[in-house]
């Protein structure tokens, strides 16, 4: 399965203001690869995940494309990284040709019956909060398998996620953070989807559980699934990702292979994120991100950027080096 997001934008309409949650997002993800979408809280990362699954509220407007298509023989080997350079807009036609689906324009019936759980599995943020509190983990797994038309037993599915059969007879409040995470993983894998979207999967977990969760996502990727990890934890992203997409104030500002990114990112904001890590300089980025209801016409990072000049009054576009900065 391969995913190409092309010009995706999301606006939330509020009384007297519009929230620019995602602006002109463009990236590609293929099977056997993991893309980590990173950035500070509130930049639009989770909105991106919900837009792909059609889970946004009624006051949201989504434009652009998010094409989902089976992988061809040329992508089956996984030897080549996806081309992350935004190309020309495909217009109304899929860049993958026939057999593809635009998640943005797909009707709810298609998303509910063909996409969610079957083609895309979602691992939600704070898994325990998304489980039904009055039903055991076993009951919720059994219901999910039944709705997806699967023949596996809850015990078999749980074993694949690292759970013991007796763990399934617990209610959500009786599960530890690690157990709740494994139940969420099992639910996301119930329909054997080729694409996994993990939305802040390490929130509230201690470091050993973070490492275990990232190792599980890497295993899923190595099995041939495409994995989109949304996180603000750069250390966790470094453990799992093949590519990195850096998001700031609703825009993706840098796309890079993971190795070169952690060796030396090119966007000043991305450098600031790495410099804020305790294992690096442990120096925070000064200032605060702009409000998404009042984004500037130029570079949104300008007030916080040590390299800012008058040129930054104009919005920088993603260039051939896959970075949106006048001074990259």
């Amino acid at each position: 399965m391969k995913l190409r997001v092309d010009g995706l934008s999301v606006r939330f309409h509020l009384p007297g203001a519009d929230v620019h949650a995602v602006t002109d997002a463009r990236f590609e993800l293929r099977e056997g690869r993991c893309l980590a979408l990173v950035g500070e809280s509130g930049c639009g990362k989770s909105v991106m995940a919900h837009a792909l699954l059609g889970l946004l509220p009624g006051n949201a407007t989504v434009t652009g494309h998010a094409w989902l298509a089976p992988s061809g023989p040329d992508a089956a080997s996984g030897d080549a990284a996806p081309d992350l350079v935004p190309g020309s807009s495909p217009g109304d036609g899929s860049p993958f040709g026939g057999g593809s689906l635009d998640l943005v324009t797909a009707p709810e019936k298609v998303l509910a019956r063909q996409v969610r759980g079957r083609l895309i599995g979602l691992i939600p943020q704070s898994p325990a909060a998304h489980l039904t509190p009055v039903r055991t983990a076993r009951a919720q797994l059994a219901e999910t398998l039944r709705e997806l038309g699967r023949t596996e037993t809850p015990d078999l599915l749980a074993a694949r996620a690292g759970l013991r059969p007796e763990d399934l007879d617990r209610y959500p409040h009786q599960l530890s953070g690690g157990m709740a995470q494994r139940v969420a993983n099992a639910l996301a894998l119930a329909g054997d989807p080729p694409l996994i979207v993990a939305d802040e999967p390490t929130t509230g977990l201690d470091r050993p559980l973070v490492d275990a969760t990232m190792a599980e996502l890497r295993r899923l990727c190595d099995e041939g699934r495409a994995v989109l990890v949304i996180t603000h934890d750069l250390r966790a992203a470094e453990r799992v990702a093949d590519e990195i997409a850096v998001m700031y104030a609703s825009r993706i500002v840098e796309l890079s292979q993971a190795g070169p990114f952690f060796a030396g990112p090119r966007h000043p904001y991305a450098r600031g994120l790495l410099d804020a890590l305790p294992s690096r300089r442990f120096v925070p980025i000064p200032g605060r991100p702009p409000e998404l209801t009042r984004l500037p016409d130029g570079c949104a990072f300008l007030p916080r950027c040590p390299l800012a000049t008058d040129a930054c009054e104009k919005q920088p576009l993603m260039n051939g080096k896959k970075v949106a900065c006048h001074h990259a």
Side-chain angles (χ1 to χ4, degrees):
M1 185 62 61
K2 48 192 175 183
L3 171 71
R4 179 176 176 180
V5 173
D6 196 346
L8 182 68
S9 295
V10 179
R11 301 287 181 267
F12 293 111
H13 306 290
L14 304 177
D18 283 349
V19 178
H20 297 250
V22 178
T23 303
D24 197 28
R26 299 171 187 267
F27 61 86
E28 187 169 318
L29 175 61
R30 292 181 180 268
E31 65 179 13
R33 309 291 295 183
C34 175
L35 173 67
L37 182 61
V38 304
E40 293 168 293
S41 297
C43 68
K45 304 187 303 297
S46 292
V47 173
M48 181 94 71
H50 293 162
L52 295 176
L53 287 158
L55 297 176
L56 296 175
N59 67 333
T61 297
V62 184
T63 57
H65 301 280
W67 299 106
L68 192 65
S71 294
D74 59 331
S77 66
D79 293 334
D83 178 12
L84 295 171
V85 182
S88 59
S89 171
D92 293 330
S94 167
F96 298 132
S100 62
L101 173 69
D102 188 355
L103 300 172
V104 173
T105 59
E108 170 59 23
K109 182 181 293 186
V110 171
L111 293 173
R113 296 183 179 180
Q114 299 181 28
V115 176
R116 299 187 196 119
R118 292 175 171 85
L119 295 179
I120 303 178
L122 174 65
I123 299 176
Q125 186 174 355
S126 304
H130 285 77
L131 298 174
T132 304
V134 296
R135 303 185 67 195
T136 64
R138 180 184 302 279
Q140 296 182 60
L141 282 172
E143 179 184 34
T144 300
L145 288 166
R146 184 170 60 253
E147 290 297 321
L148 293 173
R150 307 292 296 187
T151 59
E152 294 92 335
T153 64
D155 285 5
L156 179 60
L157 192 61
R160 289 172 54 194
L163 288 164
R164 300 169 300 176
E166 55 266 32
D167 295 332
L168 296 184
D169 296 318
R170 301 186 182 192
Y171 290 90
H173 73 275
Q174 297 174 318
L175 299 173
S176 67
M179 287 182 183
Q181 183 65 59
R182 292 186 180 97
V183 172
N185 291 353
L187 288 168
L189 293 171
D192 196 25
L195 171 60
I196 299 293
V197 176
D199 184 13
E200 298 284 5
T202 61
T203 297
L205 302 182
D206 57 25
R207 184 49 60 176
L209 285 176
V210 168
D211 292 342
T213 299
M214 290 298 103
E216 173 65 13
L217 290 175
R218 185 66 248 180
R219 183 186 67 81
L220 295 175
C221 196
D222 292 341
E223 288 179 352
R225 290 179 173 86
V227 177
L228 174 62
V229 177
I230 294 167
T231 183
H232 61 271
D233 187 339
L234 284 168
R235 180 177 168 185
E238 188 174 12
R239 289 182 58 88
V240 69
D242 297 297
E243 286 86 35
I244 302 289
V246 182
M247 199 167 185
Y248 182 75
S250 84
R251 290 183 180 272
I252 292 177
V253 296
E254 182 170 349
L255 290 162
S256 175
Q257 302 297 310
F261 175 83
F262 286 102
R266 288 157 294 174
H267 196 282
Y269 172 65
R271 290 200 295 271
L273 286 178
L274 286 185
D275 286 343
L277 293 176
S279 59
R280 304 224 178 183
R281 295 177 58 199
F282 204 26
V283 177
I285 302 173
R288 298 175 60 85
E291 295 181 16
L292 297 184
T293 55
R294 295 187 295 179
L295 291 177
D297 293 331
C299 177
F301 191 58
L302 187 156
R304 310 173 72 187
C305 183
L307 304 180
T309 64
D310 291 344
C312 303
E313 297 289 344
K314 181 180 179 181
Q315 178 66 51
L317 301 177
M318 191 73 73
N319 58 29
K321 295 181 179 180
K322 298 177 281 188
V323 56
C325 179
H326 295 295
H327 307 295

